[in-house]
Amino acid sequence: MATLDDVRRLADALPGSEERAMTGGAAWFVRGRLFAWECHPWPSIPDDVRRVIASELVVGVKVADRVDALALVEMAPDVFLRTTTSWGEPKVAFRMAGIEHDHLVELVTEAWRVQAPEYLRREHDDADEQGRPPAPDATIRAPEPPASRA
């Protein structure tokens, strides 16, 4: 099962990404623009969706357009939740317990691409083309030891 730490590792590997603690939980931004967040059962959310969010880990991500969000909900209604708010921007929320790792990588990366400025998208794409590992690598890495000072 995917965890919030998986989202954290994926988001942290993307250029310009930063995590912020918000009232509703963790959220990830690229150059000040929100692209992924931990959903919170706010009173403004429809009752049935709020019950799901209150009982399990649900993450929201930006998508390119509303049609993409609707397609995801129709494709896997047991994983993707219908609209959680009346806000106009395209987004989708999904149950972490039901998401496959590869799909999580795709959702977080695409959400970042929707919000990232062009120069960061190019940086990410150039890294992939040069044979470096793709930015969203969900493997756990040991921290590098600090450089010794002689």
Side-chain angles (χ1 to χ4, degrees):
M1 179 172 89
T3 67
L4 205 54
D5 283 336
D6 294 324
V7 175
R8 182 170 285 116
R9 280 189 293 276
L10 292 168
D12 287 349
L14 295 163
S17 175
E18 71 171 294
E19 179 176 347
R20 296 182 194 168
M22 306 297 283
T23 304
W28 291 269
F29 294 78
V30 58
R31 296 298 185 252
R33 298 181 72 185
L34 179 68
F35 70 92
W37 59 93
E38 180 180 3
C39 292
H40 184 74
W42 299 109
S44 59
I45 296 173
D47 289 342
D48 58 330
V49 177
R50 188 170 60 243
R51 280 191 293 277
V52 171
I53 293 171
S55 66
E56 61 186 276
L57 179 59
V58 174
V59 169
V61 293
K62 296 288 184 157
V63 292
D65 58 48
R66 187 149 167 71
V67 173
D68 289 346
L70 292 172
L72 288 167
V73 172
E74 285 185 24
M75 176 183 75
D78 55 324
V79 176
F80 294 92
L81 305 177
R82 65 182 174 80
T83 303
T84 57
T85 66
S86 58
W87 299 337
E89 78 269 2
K91 61 187 177 298
V92 68
F94 54 91
R95 296 170 143 153
M96 290 291 285
I99 202 76
E100 296 290 328
H101 175 73
D102 290 345
H103 204 181
L104 180 63
V105 171
E106 181 182 343
L107 288 164
V108 171
T109 303
E110 288 306 310
W112 172 85
R113 290 184 75 78
V114 165
Q115 297 292 66
E118 185 177 341
Y119 75 95
L120 286 177
R121 292 192 309 266
R122 266 196 318 267
E123 178 182 321
H124 178 262
D125 294 345
D126 289 348
D128 288 348
E129 287 175 12
Q130 294 175 6
R132 289 184 257 160
D137 180 8
T139 58
I140 299 173
R141 296 184 184 115
E144 293 186 23
S148 62
R149 295 184 181 184

